[in-house]
Amino acid sequence: NAGVTQTPKFQVLKTGQSMTLQCAQDMNHNSMYWYRQDPGMGLRLIYYSASEGTTDKGEVPNGYNVSRLNKREFSLRLESAAPSQTSVYFCASSGPNEQFFGPGTRLTVL
Amino acid sequence: RKEVEQDPGPFNVPEGATVAFNCTYSNSASQSFFWYRQDCRKEPKLLMSVYSSGNEDGRFTAQLNRASQYISLLIRDSKLSDSATYLCVALMGGSARQLTFGSGTQLTVLP
């Protein structure tokens, strides 16, 4: 099992550009999550999906959209990137006892 | 005020030392608690769950005090490989099982 996979690993954008971060899990989990991690801030929840077909806002949803394409895949879209969105983005899925994280995407917005 | 607060450190300790990390949480409705470990530039991984009765996993001991809303992690006989950031995490429960993370405590074990 690959667990949780994310693409790309690194990305540099210019202000105003758009992009989609991809995430997939092969553990048959219902719940999936997108977090961002900034120095001194810990992980903050952007959006989550409790099950296929549902999505909900987390703590910091502004500037982002998500799509739960199917049970395996949960994508995060930045429609118009801003320098404040420079961060490390982690996707996760939740089993009964723990959340499993992908390796992260390091995004820089210039 | 953050929902989960930790001393950011850094903690620099010699190999073999015992080190303790503390964490407080503000939401009394939090149902479960965990310690995650995050190595530099890597994803967080579950270290251990925290139970009210206290629990031990090898050199690691976790304690929960619901009355004081306080969680601790004790590492005995520190190894170089224990160097990492330790994240205190609270679970709100519900179908989505949302986690709230502390900002982490950085540990460096020195030879």
Side-chain angles (χ1 to χ4, degrees):
Chain A
N1 287 351
V4 180
T5 57
Q6 289 183 238
T7 55
K9 285 189 167 52
F10 302 93
Q11 184 71 49
V12 179
L13 294 177
K14 294 181 179 177
T15 297
Q17 287 185 315
S18 62
M19 78 162 296
T20 300
L21 281 64
Q22 306 287 353
C23 174
Q25 52 94 7
D26 61 3
M27 295 173 282
N28 202 34
H29 290 159
N30 286 322
S31 299
M32 297 185 72
Y33 312 82
W34 275 104
Y35 296 90
R36 60 177 289 173
Q37 186 174 34
D38 303 292
M41 300 291 290
L43 282 95
R44 292 182 292 168
L45 184 64
I46 304 171
Y47 270 93
Y48 66 97
S49 170
S51 62
E52 186 178 351
T54 68
T55 61
D56 285 286
K57 295 178 180 178
E59 182 185 353
V60 288
N62 292 345
Y64 306 95
N65 285 301
V66 290
S67 295
R68 183 73 182 267
L69 304 168
N70 47 55
K71 192 170 187 179
R72 288 187 67 248
E73 298 172 288
F74 188 37
S75 62
L76 179 72
R77 182 159 178 84
L78 287 70
E79 290 291 351
S80 179
S84 60
Q85 294 178 304
T86 293
S87 189
V88 181
Y89 291 85
F90 288 103
C91 176
S93 70
S94 184
N97 297 314
E98 69 179 281
Q99 278 193 10
F100 296 86
F101 287 81
T105 296
R106 280 171 174 73
L107 176 66
T108 301
V109 183
L110 302 174
Chain B
R1 182 186 172 189
K2 291 181 182 176
E3 287 194 32
V4 177
E5 296 212 50
Q6 299 180 244
D7 181 345
F11 284 66
N12 298 318
V13 303
E15 238 181 324
T18 295
V19 61
F21 304 140
N22 302 318
C23 168
T24 57
Y25 62 96
S26 60
N27 192 334
S28 59
S30 299
Q31 295 186 354
S32 303
F33 304 90
F34 309 89
W35 284 99
Y36 274 70
R37 170 192 169 128
Q38 186 172 25
D39 292 298
C40 187
R41 303 179 75 79
K42 299 283 191 182
E43 71 271 24
K45 292 184 179 177
L46 180 67
L47 176 67
M48 60 195 302
S49 301
V50 186
Y51 303 118
S52 297
S53 55
N55 50 299
E56 191 173 303
D57 183 0
R59 297 181 293 108
F60 298 84
T61 301
Q63 296 274 357
L64 166 64
N65 184 322
R66 286 193 182 271
S68 303
Q69 297 185 196
Y70 171 93
I71 303 154
S72 66
L73 177 68
L74 183 77
I75 305 175
R76 291 181 300 279
D77 188 23
S78 299
K79 311 291 184 193
L80 296 177
S81 56
D82 293 334
S83 297
T85 297
Y86 291 84
L87 304 171
C88 179
V89 185
L91 171 66
M92 283 303 297
S95 61
R97 298 180 62 78
Q98 288 186 61
L99 298 180
T100 301
F101 287 79
S103 54
T105 299
Q106 186 180 340
L107 171 67
T108 301
V109 180
L110 305 168

